[in-house]
Amino acid sequence: MKFLVVGGAGYIGSHMVKHLLDANHQVVVADNFSTGHRAALLGGLLEELDIADAAALDALFAAHRFDAVFHFASFIQVGESVSEPAKYYANNFCATLTLLQAMVRAQIKHFIFSSTAAVYGDPVYVPIDEEHPKAAINPYGRSKWMVEQMLEDFDRAYGLKSVCLRYFNAAGADPEGLLGERHEPETHLIPLILQAAAGRRPAITVFGRDYDTPDGTCIRDYIHVADLVQAHALAVDYLLAGGESNAFNLGNGQGFSVQEVIDTACRVTGRAIAVNDAPRRAGDPPRLVADASRASTLLGWQPRFASIEQIVMHAWAWEQRYPWTDKLS
Ligand code: UDP
């Protein structure tokens, strides 16, 4: 099969590229390197382009006949989406529309979309299944939900079949140690804790200890990046076998508190990790846990690296290598 991976130089996209290459597929990566890393590309053919550029997409689709397109290229910082919503609607929504229009022109019928648990907003029940009300509370979540709704319309009108994968908290690193997470600036809990363990940061700051949870810190469902990309591979198989457009939650169905993740990191690294306490971060719900039974039933997806120890262990192996950049912000 021949696949296009948009955003293939980013965190999850680069793991997807590796997975597809390991399965002997032909892979073309489209990336504008606004946040991705060239060193994260382990193979495939690189097309350096911006998906907002319709002419570049037409040329790409004239040159290659893709069986499906994976789309990982989006901005992901919730706080930034509140202060700079235009950036999020322009890239996450408008550029995705441009990509989908080019796919329709080229008659490419299969699309795998990186969506997010942020489409649900503050949970009204937990664990969250796919039918949970969609009430995103920030422009990031709204930009993803707008794409999901657009995809429903594109299926009805143009027969474009899609799978939207709603990630809970993506974490961990390639089990073989070749790839990992490197965001600039880093905002995610596990890499920040491990940077503190490695001495690259003075401490980890806990945002709020007064939540209505057993230890007062927020609970999240951390999902290994290798399990995420496995779900994408199953999703494309499902579409290519004639499956209907659908959305799936991807999580382990088990929540860990911020303090539990810090404790796990202390055990895994054998290091003391300095902790500061700070007030709640705006927009953080107390508890986000996935009901991922639809992915299990319809895609046959079973996470292989469900333990938080294993997720932190792989992230720590990557953190200790610390390739690509020494800049921290
Ligand atoms: N968090 C924290 N300190 C940090 C970064 C994150 O206490 O420096 C908390 C955050 O408030 C949330 C959890 O860790 O409860 C996971 O946050 P992250 O940004 O990794 O992912 P999110 O849940 O926002 O997608």
Side-chain angles (χ1 to χ4, degrees):
M1 295 281 170
K2 192 171 195 176
F3 297 121
L4 176 65
V5 181
V6 180
Y11 171 41
I12 302 168
S14 61
H15 288 78
M16 188 77 236
V17 170
K18 178 173 186 276
H19 184 98
L20 293 171
L21 292 172
D22 287 347
N24 290 318
H25 294 299
Q26 284 181 273
V27 177
V28 177
V29 171
D31 207 295
N32 65 0
F33 294 101
S34 60
T35 58
H37 302 269
R38 286 174 201 277
L41 289 174
L42 299 183
L45 181 71
L46 172 62
E47 290 286 345
E48 193 166 343
L49 59 78
D50 196 311
I51 54 163
D53 182 346
L57 289 172
D58 285 342
L60 180 66
F61 292 152
H64 302 274
R65 186 80 238 140
F66 293 112
D67 294 287
V69 173
F70 296 84
H71 180 24
F72 295 93
S74 66
F75 295 129
I76 59 164
Q77 289 179 45
V78 168
E80 184 187 58
S81 81
V82 175
S83 56
E84 289 185 65
K87 175 175 173 180
Y88 281 71
Y89 290 117
N91 185 60
N92 295 7
F93 180 74
C94 295
T96 301
L97 167 60
T98 303
L99 172 64
L100 293 174
Q101 286 174 304
M103 286 180 63
V104 170
R105 283 194 294 277
Q107 299 187 342
I108 302 169
K109 297 280 183 197
H110 303 111
F111 187 68
I112 308 292
F113 179 60
S114 298
S115 189
T116 169
V119 300
Y120 299 115
D122 284 326
V124 293
Y125 59 82
V126 183
I128 299 170
D129 59 18
E130 290 84 357
E131 301 310 316
H132 184 286
K134 315 306 179 292
I137 55 172
N138 50 61
Y140 167 66
R142 274 193 284 276
S143 70
K144 293 283 185 175
W145 178 235
M146 286 164 64
V147 171
E148 288 206 23
Q149 291 173 288
M150 175 165 66
L151 285 169
E152 284 184 26
D153 293 333
F154 271 51
D155 184 358
R156 270 190 292 272
Y158 312 122
L160 181 87
K161 300 292 172 193
S162 63
V163 165
C164 298
L165 296 170
R166 297 180 188 147
Y167 309 164
F168 281 64
N169 286 62
D174 172 37
E176 291 175 17
L178 301 180
L179 296 169
E181 188 166 7
R182 185 67 72 234
H183 294 113
E184 278 294 335
E186 189 54 76
T187 60
H188 293 113
L189 181 67
I190 291 178
L192 288 174
I193 295 173
L194 295 177
Q195 287 173 8
R200 292 194 178 90
R201 286 181 191 271
I204 179 71
T205 301
V206 174
F207 297 139
R209 287 193 182 271
D210 56 350
Y211 285 96
D212 185 16
T213 59
D215 66 19
T217 65
C218 281
I219 291 176
R220 294 289 179 273
D221 185 338
Y222 295 90
I223 167 83
H224 197 295
V225 63
D227 288 326
L228 278 185
V229 301
Q230 172 66 16
H232 289 66
L234 293 167
V236 86
D237 288 348
Y238 161 89
L239 283 186
L240 293 172
E244 286 302 320
S245 295
N246 213 334
F248 298 92
N249 286 341
L250 296 179
N252 283 310
Q254 206 188 347
F256 293 94
S257 72
V258 171
Q259 187 59 50
E260 286 174 321
V261 177
I262 295 171
D263 293 343
T264 305
C266 289
R267 281 196 305 278
V268 166
T269 63
R271 309 263 177 107
I273 299 172
V275 177
N276 294 330
D277 289 342
R280 294 180 179 198
R281 189 173 69 175
D284 270 339
R287 192 158 174 259
L288 286 176
V289 178
D291 176 344
S293 47
R294 185 186 286 177
S296 156
T297 309
L298 289 185
L299 302 180
W301 179 67
Q302 290 300 333
R304 286 171 59 210
F305 303 107
S307 90
I308 190 72
E309 268 80 12
Q310 209 154 24
I311 291 172
V312 172
M313 212 179 287
H314 288 155
W316 179 233
W318 175 250
E319 189 59 44
Q320 286 178 292
R321 278 191 56 204
Y322 208 71
W324 302 348
T325 174
D326 275 314
K327 197 169 125 252
L328 277 182
S329 46

